[in-house]
Amino acid sequence: MTNSLGKYWDQFAQAHQQPAPVSIRINPAKYKADLPRVPWSDYGFYLNERPVFTLDPLFHAGAYYVQEASSLFLEQVLKQTADLTQPLRVLDLCAAPGGKSTHLLSLLSPDSLLISNEVIRPRAQILWENIQKWGHTNVVVTNSDPSAFQKLKGYFDIILVDAPCSGEGLFRKDPEAQTEWSEENVMLCSQRQRRILNDVWPALKQNGLLIYSTCTYNRFENEENLSTWAKEHAVEFVSIQQPEAWNIETISFGPSVGYRFYPHRVQGEGFFISAFIKKENTDGVRIKPGARLNTPTTNVIDRIKPWTKEPDRFRWVQQDDLILQIPDLLLSEVAWISNLLYPIGKGTAVAEVKHDKLIPAHAFALSNAIQSDFFQITDLSEADAIAYLRKDTQFFDSTQKGFGLVQYHNLNLGWVNHLGNRTNNLYPSNWRIRMTTHR
Ligand code: SAM
């Protein structure tokens, strides 16, 4: 770093003595913020201090995601290189815990399909939870190895590889990242990154866009790595316009062009991003319509239809007892992909069928497609909302009957079942707040 930063080393070192800025990215389908904005993102905002996010009901309602500001530059890359009004097929290959996937969902058109993949199983579960909070139906979460995507030859318009890296850019936020750092690890990461690129490259369309990013500074994982890799592939790097005032460094190395974020120059952490177009002939795989998902009975569909906004845009499928909602235009592709990969979740779970009852699914309470006013709604105070999210049972009586939504600031938190003399809290046990300290 002293070599590459020269006289700026001191400023860089000093920045590491300062607290990391706190930023969030709002979910535009649910929430608006009136805060100082991250210059390169319509959805990114800075906070003056770090609240206890776990104790904010809005966080659990999927109103925002806590994300460091530099990485929100993905938005500029996409806006400047892709036509986001088009129905795109997008893969986020290294997606957990879901920062960039949820950002992508806010940027893509509703007829686009996002495959959000994470190879490490427990991390894939966290990813699925965060995706459900965001409330979109045009998504499949998979737990596949990067090499599995070779079955989807030439299918994707955009692939994001937010690669596992040595994490130098997070030293300030996460001191543990420093103890894990070593020169050997940098070299291991570098090789692994090239292997991941090779594995997933066939799945990109000809003229498709590959976006590569890391949260590290060294050239072995960034510009030099891409430059070495690009020599063996037909690629064209793209330049992103960015005003000088943003203080982002443009890095050219051999054929590669990338953008580096330093904590002493931007209000954010260390980050690197680069984008290039595939200039190789790639025949696209044929989507086989053979794969099918089971359809629920007409009776179930008739009962469930009024639960959703724009019901004509959707189809319902049944997996064991679970009813899922998937955009009509994407159904055959979702079925096809589900057969080829290892899906953890797809679309949005709407309800569970139990005998003749439909038990609403938690994910559906958080869905942007839900017709909330079809249900009984209870507005909660902040204290009651937190009690609900802790899954304290029977915390209010009610004269209402049946399943109802609970809301905080007009956003759904989840379901309750009104039994007349008491109300059962249906918040999923594994999602509940376990933190005991109070603000
Ligand atoms: N994109 C995520 C976000 O914005 O929230 C962060 C991704 S993190 C930088 C890199 C991810 O790659 C981790 O979730 C990690 O588990 C995953 N990973 C680790 N080894 C991998 C491998 N060999 N192939 C693909 N992904 C891997």
Side-chain angles (χ1 to χ4, degrees):
M1 290 308 293
T2 50
N3 281 342
S4 62
L5 284 167
K7 62 179 181 178
Y8 298 109
W9 163 259
D10 284 345
Q11 288 178 24
F12 174 78
Q14 266 166 26
H16 284 74
Q17 306 307 316
Q18 306 297 319
V22 185
S23 50
I24 58 166
R25 176 175 44 76
I26 59 142
N27 183 346
K30 298 194 183 196
Y31 196 60
K32 285 189 171 60
D34 187 16
L35 291 162
R37 206 167 57 78
V38 175
W40 41 84
S41 168
D42 284 347
Y43 310 134
F45 297 91
Y46 291 106
L47 306 183
N48 287 332
E49 53 178 15
R50 179 170 278 272
V52 184
F53 289 113
T54 309
L55 297 179
D56 180 6
L58 293 176
F59 174 69
H60 300 275
Y64 62 87
Y65 189 93
V66 184
Q67 189 171 356
E68 76 77 28
S70 304
S71 63
L72 303 182
F73 193 72
L74 171 67
E75 189 171 322
Q76 286 300 320
V77 175
L78 278 164
K79 283 182 173 163
Q80 293 188 33
T81 53
D83 182 353
L84 296 172
T85 62
Q86 291 302 304
L88 300 170
R89 301 296 176 257
V90 181
L91 168 64
D92 183 1
L93 184 68
C94 314
K100 296 190 187 62
S101 274
T102 50
H103 197 179
L104 284 164
L105 285 168
S106 298
L107 291 163
L108 297 172
S109 65
D111 294 341
S112 296
L113 178 63
L114 175 70
I115 309 298
S116 180
N117 179 69
E118 168 59 43
V119 68
I120 298 176
R121 181 68 196 231
R123 291 179 60 81
Q125 284 299 346
I126 296 166
L127 170 66
W128 178 224
E129 198 174 305
N130 284 329
I131 295 276
Q132 290 175 86
K133 275 189 195 160
W134 216 245
H136 289 247
T137 42
N138 54 335
V139 57
V140 178
V141 171
T142 56
N143 175 218
S144 297
D145 187 82
S147 57
F149 288 89
Q150 294 185 3
K151 292 182 234 168
L152 278 69
K153 196 161 173 251
Y155 174 67
F156 291 104
D157 298 288
I158 300 175
I159 296 179
L160 168 63
V161 176
D162 187 29
C165 72
S166 62
E168 294 157 4
L170 299 182
F171 281 4
R172 170 164 74 170
K173 247 178 77 182
D174 175 13
E176 217 167 82
Q178 295 182 33
T179 59
E180 283 164 18
W181 189 94
S182 68
E183 278 183 47
E184 295 75 51
N185 192 33
V186 168
M187 289 311 162
L188 271 174
C189 286
S190 167
Q191 285 163 15
R192 181 167 58 190
Q193 288 149 355
R194 288 203 302 273
R195 195 173 65 232
I196 291 174
L197 285 173
N198 282 334
D199 277 348
V200 82
W201 189 239
L204 188 63
K205 259 186 196 153
Q206 183 172 358
N207 293 320
L209 181 75
L210 196 139
I211 304 174
Y212 176 89
S213 59
T214 70
C215 54
T216 208
Y217 304 108
N218 74 73
R219 65 179 197 274
F220 307 107
E221 297 179 64
N222 294 322
E223 64 271 24
E224 193 176 312
N225 217 14
L226 289 181
S227 171
T228 308
W229 184 83
K231 280 181 190 144
E232 287 165 19
H233 301 86
V235 305
E236 189 180 291
F237 281 84
V238 292
S239 294
I240 309 299
Q241 303 304 313
Q242 25 103 16
E244 224 168 277
W246 288 359
N247 284 328
I248 301 163
E249 202 156 301
T250 304
I251 312 280
S252 299
F253 190 100
S256 76
V257 182
Y259 300 88
R260 178 129 63 231
F261 295 68
Y262 284 118
H264 61 289
R265 303 203 62 200
V266 303
Q267 221 185 322
E269 300 312 281
F271 184 62
F272 174 87
I273 192 163
S274 173
F276 45 90
I277 293 170
K278 184 175 190 178
K279 288 292 171 194
E280 282 170 22
N281 280 335
T282 314
D283 295 331
V285 64
R286 222 168 56 85
I287 298 164
K288 296 210 178 75
R292 283 205 154 208
L293 296 167
N294 295 333
T295 312
T297 62
T298 328
N299 170 283
V300 166
I301 294 179
D302 287 347
R303 281 160 68 198
I304 244 167
K305 254 190 178 176
W307 294 17
T308 191
K309 294 183 216 160
E310 302 182 82
D312 295 341
R313 280 196 53 230
F314 296 104
R315 291 272 287 277
W316 290 269
V317 297
Q318 184 156 358
Q319 248 183 12
D320 301 322
D321 293 339
L322 200 63
I323 310 292
L324 307 175
Q325 180 165 340
I326 293 171
D328 187 15
L329 288 174
L330 302 176
L331 187 67
S332 55
E333 278 171 74
V334 168
W336 171 70
I337 285 168
S338 302
N339 273 357
L340 292 180
L341 300 170
Y342 195 81
I344 299 245
K346 45 181 163 294
T348 303
V350 184
E352 205 186 320
V353 186
K354 263 205 180 146
H355 308 295
D356 63 339
K357 267 204 182 138
L358 291 173
I359 320 276
H362 181 63
F364 195 59
L366 303 178
S367 169
N368 301 320
I370 189 171
Q371 185 70 55
S372 295
D373 47 17
F374 182 79
F375 301 94
Q376 310 169 73
I377 293 175
T378 308
D379 276 313
L380 298 183
S381 66
E382 188 181 5
D384 279 346
I386 290 173
Y388 172 78
L389 295 165
R390 286 189 195 282
K391 203 163 165 59
D392 290 348
T393 46
Q394 301 173 31
F395 61 92
F396 56 84
D397 285 340
S398 167
T399 47
Q400 304 182 47
K401 201 92 171 83
F403 295 109
L405 287 164
V406 290
Q407 292 191 338
Y408 175 73
H409 282 221
N410 299 320
L411 289 182
N412 294 338
L413 294 177
W415 299 101
V416 286
N417 191 7
H418 299 293
L419 300 170
N421 55 347
R422 66 190 167 95
T423 299
N424 281 350
N425 182 338
L426 301 186
Y427 199 68
S429 301
N430 52 339
W431 286 38
R432 76 184 168 87
I433 300 180
R434 284 158 212 272
M435 187 184 247
T436 47
T437 48
H438 293 274
R439 264 194 275 208

